[in-house]
Amino acid sequence: MGEAERGESAPRARISFWCSNGHETQPSFAHDAQVPETWDCPRCGFPAGQDRDSPPDPPRTEPYKTHLAYVRERRSDEDGEAILAEALAKLRGEI
């Protein structure tokens, strides 16, 4: 299928987006299309905006936490000692 068989393409505009790493991306949009505020950078994956001097901040990722780290957030060391003492007492048959 050649270009003549496809018909005329819609008029397009290339819009520049910049990420916080300074990468520039220029996707093309139809003139009557609504241009999004942000665009994902194809090089690093960070969000990119149309303002070169003030690109969007990169997403903040939380480090992986173990189950023990979550337990320590909820319980103090004293609580842990009390729970351990109670469990040991049950195992020894003291309760």
Side-chain angles (χ1 to χ4, degrees):
M1 184 168 179
E3 257 188 63
E5 297 162 349
R6 287 188 222 155
E8 285 187 40
S9 61
R12 302 223 172 250
R14 295 188 73 77
I15 308 294
S16 292
F17 289 88
W18 288 273
C19 71
S20 59
N21 287 332
H23 303 138
E24 180 182 12
T25 302
Q26 289 186 326
S28 62
F29 297 94
H31 276 288
D32 58 347
Q34 183 177 356
V35 178
E37 288 184 27
T38 61
W39 192 264
D40 289 338
C41 177
R43 289 182 63 188
C44 64
F46 286 174
Q50 295 181 41
D51 186 1
R52 176 184 227 158
D53 299 325
S54 179
D57 293 327
R60 187 167 180 264
T61 56
E62 295 290 328
Y64 174 77
K65 289 185 186 178
T66 63
H67 175 70
L68 182 58
Y70 283 110
V71 170
R72 285 185 175 161
E73 284 180 1
R74 293 190 310 267
R75 305 215 190 275
S76 67
D77 288 340
E78 295 81 25
D79 291 341
E81 291 294 329
I83 292 170
L84 178 61
E86 182 182 334
L88 288 174
K90 281 184 184 178
L91 286 174
R92 293 179 183 138
E94 298 171 1
I95 296 181

